Amino acid sequence: MPRPDLDQLITLDVLLSEGSVARAAERLQLSPSAMSRALARLRASFNDPLLVRAGRGLVPTPRAEALRPEVRRVLEAAEALFRIGADFDPAHLSRTFTLRISDGFLETFGPPLLATLAREAPGVRLRFVPKQDKDSAPLRDGSIDLETGVIGPAMGPEVRAQALFRDRFIGVVRPGHPLAEGRVTAEDYAAGQHIAVARRPVERWPADEALAALGLTRQVRTIVGGFAAALFLVRSSDLIATVPEQHTAGLRAGLIAFPLPIAVPEITVSLFWHPRFDADPAHRWLRETLRAICKA
């Protein structure tokens, strides 16, 4: 039996990740012809085409799809061997981490996170990028290290997830709004003018489903892409925003919040990362630090 060649597994992992000979060659700093020869050797080793042409790209065969998680597991185990026994001290860490989070999460949890890093890991720099969608490709290709949000269908199956906290929805209005004082009923809530949050076209929100169960409807006058924008507009209008309570705590200063008079399901805000960083001590330390801050 031939001796296993880990270099071949590295090449296969990159090819399956990129779906392109040219991009895989660039990532491994090889010429396209060298990468093509490497793919030919892989096909011979596994007795399978592995990647086949589909339009302008390559798609994996069923055998390649079956191999993908096992190849990643073997490589991660091999990488972990070289880190066993390595001393880790965040005080001596010099590294930049990229986090993709919403404005509300940054406003609420960013300050205590930065304060902790200044105290325990002064050499760490954080780069925050906005959430445009829930595509997990940036986690997969390494352009972001961590992401926070609610698990959705666009999340890649290999992405790791850890729950940070559960959050309930509340109503928010400006001071002086008709709903700013007293108990808010479902009829009061439905009769108001609403601002909703959605990055994509949405027919009905969870609040609409809850109102419909009571035979009520509401008027959504404005739709924005994030909770920060919704609360900004609420400050100078009679609009009502429905937002997660803990997630937006840092954005609601000076506004009036009230419990929703309808049953809207809670959400779970989670932390996401790619499994390639599972055993990385610096990455693990940052994950644990962020989880501790969210539970504080």
Side-chain angles (χ1 to χ4, degrees):
M1 182 177 180
R3 178 172 298 184
D5 186 347
L6 284 180
D7 286 339
Q8 277 199 314
L9 294 185
I10 293 172
T11 301
L12 179 57
D13 182 57
V14 173
L15 279 166
L16 292 175
S17 173
E18 296 294 340
S20 164
V21 170
R23 290 197 300 270
E26 182 178 357
R27 187 165 154 188
L28 292 176
Q29 298 183 330
L30 296 173
S31 68
S33 60
M35 181 55 68
S36 294
R37 291 193 296 271
L39 177 55
R41 290 193 294 271
L42 283 166
R43 286 167 168 165
S45 296
F46 288 97
N47 193 30
D48 187 270
L50 298 177
L51 291 162
V52 296
R53 181 68 57 185
R56 295 184 178 181
L58 297 174
V59 295
T61 65
R63 176 79 187 283
E65 287 286 11
L67 286 170
R68 188 198 301 265
E70 291 303 311
V71 169
R72 183 95 295 270
R73 182 185 63 78
V74 170
L75 290 179
E76 288 171 357
E79 292 167 1
L81 287 175
F82 292 95
R83 292 193 292 266
I84 291 178
D87 294 329
F88 172 73
D89 183 357
H92 298 112
L93 180 62
S94 178
R95 184 163 165 181
T96 297
F97 293 95
T98 300
L99 285 70
R100 185 167 72 166
I101 61 179
S102 67
D103 290 342
F105 192 96
L106 177 59
E107 184 85 10
T108 301
F109 299 106
L113 176 60
L114 292 174
T116 299
L117 264 58
R119 183 175 62 253
E120 300 181 12
V124 169
R125 180 171 62 178
L126 298 182
R127 175 175 174 259
F128 295 105
V129 297
K131 289 174 66 71
Q132 303 296 338
D133 51 45
K134 294 188 177 183
D135 183 13
S136 58
L139 285 172
R140 190 179 297 116
D141 64 26
S143 57
I144 63 174
D145 294 283
L146 287 171
E147 180 175 359
T148 61
V150 178
I151 295 176
M155 191 62 62
E158 78 278 17
V159 172
R160 299 285 194 265
Q162 172 68 52
L164 293 175
F165 57 89
R166 288 187 63 78
D167 213 348
R168 67 166 185 164
F169 281 89
I170 56 173
V172 180
V173 295
R174 64 167 177 81
H177 189 281
L179 300 186
E181 295 183 6
R183 177 176 173 269
V184 177
T185 67
E187 289 76 13
D188 295 333
Y189 176 80
Q193 304 298 302
H194 292 260
I195 182 169
V197 177
R199 296 190 184 96
R200 299 177 181 177
V202 175
E203 292 294 331
R204 286 168 54 150
W205 285 262
D208 297 311
E209 302 288 347
L211 286 170
L214 300 176
L216 300 171
T217 60
R218 65 173 182 163
Q219 294 294 320
V220 175
R221 294 299 186 188
T222 307
I223 302 172
V224 295
F227 297 121
L231 293 171
F232 175 80
L233 294 177
V234 161
R235 292 182 182 278
S236 56
S237 72
D238 282 334
L239 293 169
I240 304 167
T242 302
V243 300
E245 183 176 28
Q246 187 173 349
H247 193 79
T248 61
L251 299 172
R252 291 187 281 105
L255 294 172
I256 306 299
F258 59 86
L260 290 183
I262 53 177
V264 175
E266 291 185 343
I267 59 172
T268 298
V269 178
S270 297
L271 183 64
F272 308 113
W273 68 94
H274 194 273
R276 69 161 61 90
F277 293 119
D278 270 347
D280 179 69
H283 199 277
R284 184 170 60 245
W285 173 82
L286 181 60
R287 298 195 304 264
E288 292 171 352
T289 298
L290 189 53
R291 283 198 292 266
I293 288 171
C294 289
K295 292 179 180 178

